[in-house]
Amino acid sequence: MRYYSIIISFALLAVASCSKVQENLPEDELAAPQRSLETKVVQLGDEYNPSAFQVKFETVPTTEMLSAIQEIEGIASIEPLFVSRNDRKELEHQFGLDRWYYVRLEENADVHQLVRETAGMASVSMAEYECYPQKASDGIAYPAEEVFSTKASVPGSHNDPMLIDQWHYNNQGSKAYSRNAVKGADVNVKDVWATLTCGDPDIIVAVVDEAVCYTNPDLAANMWVNTGEIPDNGIDDDNNGYVDDIYGYNFVDNNGNVNWDDPDDSGHGSHTGGTIAAVSNNGKGVAGLAGGSGKGDGCRLMSCQIFSGNRGGNSAKAIKYAADNGASIISCSYGFKAKFTSDNNYLQSQGSLEIDAIHYFEACKNNPVLNGNIAIFSSGNENDPYAHYPGAFYDIISVSAFGPDFLPTYYTDYGPGCNICAPGGEVGHLTGTDYEKSMVLSTLPKSVAGSDYGYMQGTSMACPHVSGVVALALSYAKKLGKTFSVQEFKEMILSSTNDIDQRIANTASKTYPGWKIDDLNLAPYYHQMGTGAIDAWRLMMHIEGTPTSTAQTGRTQWIDLTPLLGTSSTSLTYLSVEADSATIDSMGLEAVTPASDAHHPAVMDASGKACIQFGRLYIHPTKIGSGKFTIRVVGGGSYLGGGDNPPGGMEVTRVLSVISRDAANGGNGNGGWL
Ligand SMILES: [Ca+2]
Ligand SMILES: [Ca+2]
Ligand SMILES: [Ca+2]
Ligand SMILES: [Ca+2]
């Protein structure tokens, strides 16, 4: 692949110099500059299918254009690459999907020669090798013994008995996960579950991965089921172009038999799927981020299988399936090891089959919230200073990974192309038999792992944390009846984050002896982990339109109300402040004592645990948590109008969200993000 990237650089130089020569050419030739052969050949990885490739025509091909290729010696057949959806033909055309064709070769034909020969034709804009992606994890699953209990393992949260070990949802800084565990190094979902949303069955997430084990007792109830299809009758009953597709489709063997039977399967798709929507609050196993409240109301998982053991399938076809069968999110824990992703010029100018399919997916409307869909990719596990393809693409979200110590993991890709980070886990923060506890705990196929549950690590595990949070966000927006554009939503996702850079800057290196993490220098990761660590609560507040402030755990402090009420906040007349019981519990609020000041009387919450004085909100949180404060002020003057009053002001009610966390330095000194 390195050799190939050198070719591309030369090709770009050649194009640049050509354009100068062309200044002297007649105008009609200037209009259609001949692209060099090398920019028309696309190869996303080292491993390719030697008996087929893919072409994109400059225009929707005529019969003549197709037969010109069909007639080339060594080519057996040419057919449309994608299954078309009748009511989306316009969109398919807009993103060029009707210009992609699949070319099969005759036996012993030379794929390299035929790709180049086809790319050389004026009617062809790209000839692309059929390369298979790679899973963004080391593929090693560590089984976890199932815990059976009737008691919730995390008081006040979902009742799944293994939730206590899912630090990635609710990290209480326990040394049971990591000797350097950081409170709040998680996706901050606990209070979202408690007060806002746990998912919605209308929000479907396609897991483009190994098969999702639809028989797993903690996945089965949240599987998407194609109700229009009758299984195993060899007929495409719902006429969607795929025979016997019940839980999704198998794009490795190109049939409806989604399965995890290959002896080399790792359980990867069941693990990533479980993070998104394992059945939550069902008193069993683990929780999933958007897995519902135990009342059958979780988001649904569609299995778009592109891995079977060591064999790969066509991920672009899988993405098209997800788009056309109702998925709102594709969770893609894979990438192509295309080294040209570090060459931005090439990346921006050169499309690929995969990019066209993703852009089509993001333009399809499958839910009432967005005018399209959201694609989430993992950044890759090579510890490279750039994201892997296609997450590297500028408008596609790519996720890097941190561990329970709130530091970049030893394997994560970082830097250009990486947009955000999430928990990916990291083996070996503990010794003895607990070494796996610092990884991510989720569901697995029992036939593969020997248990329905287990631990894995990778940006593969970070990606579904963002997918699951986005699934919750779409569920919540739907509940509130809010609508957004895809672009607005992506911007809200990337700005619903917490700073990880302070923690990186304050930690020169990290070491977990006996594992791969030996004096890992952290300086290269500074400012390179995207916009920061995803925070589910913040994203929900963005959807509500509620401003969010932060407070430091463990002390009385005031919070500026300017984001809520403008710079007049210090001179307004306040009527009341109210913290609900969920907020008091979550943040462990303690009573605050107002200052004795006749000119600035305090307005107190009934519990005594929140107070407004001097135009500021005073609180004393003792726990990490999130909550809301409802504040009423007089809009104009010092008393309300109406009733027996002389004409007075209008009542204004506003809500402020607050997240309480430890301070990065000082305070409890354990490395939080304030
Ligand atoms: Ca079907
Ligand atoms: Ca059928
Ligand atoms: Ca469960
Ligand atoms: Ca990107």
Side-chain angles (χ1 to χ4, degrees), residues 229-237 244:
E229 186 71 32
I230 299 163
D232 302 326
N233 65 353
I235 296 166
D236 177 17
D237 302 281
D244 293 343

Side-chain angles (χ1 to χ4, degrees), residues 135 139 141 210 253 259-268 305 307-311 445-450:
K135 289 169 248 190
E210 278 184 25
D253 297 318
N259 73 84
W260 49 93
D261 298 341
D262 190 291
D264 288 322
D265 270 345
S266 65
H268 198 265
Q305 186 181 352
F307 298 111
S308 190
N310 297 319
R311 295 182 304 134
K446 199 171 208 163
S447 59
V448 171

Side-chain angles (χ1 to χ4, degrees), residues 54-223:
Q54 308 159 125
V55 291
K56 187 182 188 183
F57 289 97
E58 290 283 357
T59 57
V60 178
T62 59
T63 320
E64 289 73 33
M65 285 157 75
L66 290 172
S67 34
I69 287 182
Q70 173 89 63
E71 280 158 17
I72 297 173
E73 197 181 325
I75 287 180
S77 68
I78 180 163
E79 67 205 59
L81 194 141
F82 291 109
V83 171
S84 176
R85 187 174 134 163
N86 278 336
D87 59 346
R88 288 215 173 127
K89 291 214 182 289
E90 235 171 81
L91 216 50
E92 290 171 353
H93 181 66
Q94 187 185 333
F95 292 94
L97 302 197
D98 56 357
R99 294 191 273 137
W100 278 103
Y101 277 69
Y102 195 71
V103 180
R104 289 177 211 275
L105 309 189
E106 282 166 359
E107 225 170 301
N108 302 323
D110 180 354
V111 67
H112 305 295
Q113 187 233 314
L114 288 169
V115 162
R116 293 178 70 82
E117 186 173 345
T118 311
M121 299 169 77
S123 63
V124 169
S125 72
M126 271 186 259
E128 179 168 341
Y129 287 84
E130 187 177 33
C131 293
Y132 300 121
Q134 299 188 329
K135 289 169 248 190
S137 115
D138 53 16
I140 303 168
Y142 298 80
E145 203 172 315
E146 185 172 357
V147 175
F148 297 94
S149 168
T150 51
K151 279 192 196 145
S153 62
V154 179
S157 192
H158 287 337
N159 64 12
D160 308 87
M162 298 167 85
L163 179 59
I164 186 92
D165 288 327
Q166 295 183 291
W167 59 266
H168 31 107
Y169 302 159
N170 181 2
N171 188 338
Q172 289 295 322
S174 164
K175 300 286 178 263
Y177 324 127
S178 164
R179 71 188 72 163
N180 296 315
V182 167
K183 268 190 216 173
D186 52 36
V187 295
N188 196 17
V189 73
K190 178 173 74 84
D191 300 297
V192 174
W193 289 341
T195 59
L196 307 177
T197 182
C198 298
D200 184 313
D202 288 347
I203 303 301
I204 301 163
V205 185
V207 181
V208 188
D209 205 313
E210 278 184 25
V212 178
C213 178
Y214 53 80
T215 58
N216 182 296
D218 235 1
L219 290 170
N222 278 351
M223 289 304 298

Side-chain angles (χ1 to χ4, degrees), residues 283-437:
K284 179 162 183 59
V286 296
L289 281 168
S293 65
K295 295 177 186 147
D297 52 358
C299 291
R300 295 298 189 248
L301 298 167
M302 175 189 284
S303 182
C304 293
Q305 186 181 352
I306 59 159
F307 298 111
S308 190
N310 297 319
R311 295 182 304 134
N314 190 308
S315 49
K317 289 184 185 177
I319 292 167
K320 177 73 162 64
Y321 179 93
D324 289 348
N325 290 281
S328 291
I329 298 163
I330 44 172
S331 189
C332 302
S333 290
Y334 65 81
F336 296 90
K337 263 184 137 174
K339 291 284 196 270
F340 65 69
T341 59
S342 54
D343 180 337
N344 199 46
N345 286 333
Y346 183 78
L347 194 62
Q348 305 268 351
S349 65
Q350 180 71 71
S352 71
L353 175 67
E354 182 92 2
I355 295 291
D356 284 353
I358 296 165
H359 285 160
Y360 170 79
F361 173 80
E362 291 205 322
C364 287
K365 182 170 172 62
N366 287 341
N367 62 71
V369 176
L370 302 177
N371 62 350
N373 297 314
I374 307 277
I376 312 284
F377 278 80
S378 53
S379 70
N381 290 354
E382 290 70 20
N383 194 220
D384 283 335
Y386 50 84
H388 278 205
Y389 198 81
F393 211 74
Y394 68 95
D395 66 353
I396 295 172
I397 293 178
S398 167
V399 186
S400 297
F402 63 82
D405 54 1
F406 205 42
L407 289 169
T409 57
Y410 72 87
Y411 55 78
T412 191
D413 290 352
Y414 57 99
C418 301
N419 304 101
I420 196 164
C421 59
E426 189 176 48
V427 69
H429 289 205
L430 300 168
T431 51
T433 54
D434 286 337
Y435 56 87
E436 79 284 9
K437 295 247 170 168

Side-chain angles (χ1 to χ4, degrees), residues 159-161 217-218 278-288 443 453:
N159 64 12
D160 308 87
D218 235 1
V279 183
S280 298
N281 206 33
N282 60 346
K284 179 162 183 59
V286 296
T443 44
Y453 305 96

